[in-house]
Amino acid sequence: NVEDDSVEEYLKIYTLLDRDEVEKLMNEFQDNEDMRIAQKKLAYEVTKTVHGISQANSAVKVTEILFESSDYSGLNTDEIDLLKDAFVSVEAKEGDHLIEILTAGNMASSKGEARRLLEQKAIKLNGETIEADYAIKDTDKIAQNSAVLKKGKNNFAVITL
């Protein structure tokens, strides 16, 4: 969430990239600012420095799956753990309805709001839009007996089954 005007300075301060790498990256960024490549590189480099390359690569993969694609089947147990650390986790069992899970996970303030969100197609389970009340099935699991629930563009919860 770094502002476009600040990203170059942050790259110089918080990463180990040399001057030429920063300059090249900023030129690419200025050609297409909507791609946010400078911000993504900053996030990757800082995560790599603080947590190591493995965690940085996992963070990139999880981010791509959550925000750019819907192939949740590619998540492994370490990446599910990363999601559990970052988002609300809700315990559920097979047969529980999403309306209950949405309210338990504070993604909806009431059952009525949960129904409206489902009717508005604002809820996704493992990347698939859910249009009506839905009961959790065993096949919804992706890794570590978990599933990913998404409300809108960037509100997530991990369902632990």
Side-chain angles (χ1 to χ4, degrees):
N1 290 332
V2 172
E3 303 264 341
D4 292 352
D5 296 340
S6 303
V7 71
E8 183 173 7
E9 183 176 343
Y10 290 161
L11 283 164
K12 290 175 183 176
I13 295 170
Y14 296 112
T15 72
L16 301 175
L17 299 175
D18 65 36
R19 183 183 307 242
D20 291 339
E21 289 175 295
V22 171
E23 187 175 312
K24 180 181 176 195
L25 181 63
M26 291 309 298
N27 286 335
E28 290 174 26
F29 170 67
Q30 289 166 352
D31 288 342
N32 190 355
E33 291 181 1
D34 292 340
M35 295 291 293
R36 300 184 58 79
I37 60 171
Q39 286 90 338
K40 289 176 183 178
K41 184 69 169 179
L42 174 64
Y44 178 81
E45 291 296 324
V46 170
T47 303
K48 183 175 80 172
T49 300
V50 174
H51 298 287
I53 195 163
S54 176
Q55 284 286 73
N57 289 338
S58 286
V60 167
K61 181 179 176 186
V62 167
T63 301
E64 287 173 352
I65 288 172
L66 293 178
F67 295 104
E68 297 172 15
S69 73
S70 60
D71 185 14
Y72 286 70
S73 64
L75 291 170
N76 64 37
T77 55
D78 290 337
E79 292 154 353
I80 291 291
D81 284 340
L82 186 64
L83 289 173
K84 286 179 180 178
D85 289 341
F87 302 114
V88 172
S89 188
V90 179
E91 298 241 353
K93 61 186 180 305
E94 189 172 353
D96 283 354
H97 288 264
L98 279 184
I99 287 176
E100 297 160 357
I101 295 168
L102 288 166
T103 55
N106 295 321
M107 295 181 91
S109 59
S110 66
K111 289 182 179 183
E113 181 185 1
R115 279 189 204 88
R116 283 188 294 280
L117 289 168
L118 289 165
E119 289 169 4
Q120 295 167 354
K121 301 178 184 178
I123 302 299
K124 291 186 178 190
L125 179 67
N126 295 337
E128 300 294 321
T129 301
I130 305 297
E131 297 180 27
D133 191 16
Y134 178 87
I136 297 294
K137 298 181 273 193
D138 187 55
T139 55
D140 293 326
K141 297 177 192 174
I142 48 175
Q144 228 180 18
N145 292 327
S146 299
V148 178
L149 194 61
K150 181 177 181 181
K151 176 179 109 175
K153 285 188 173 185
N154 55 10
N155 191 345
F156 297 90
V158 177
I159 303 171
T160 303
L161 304 168

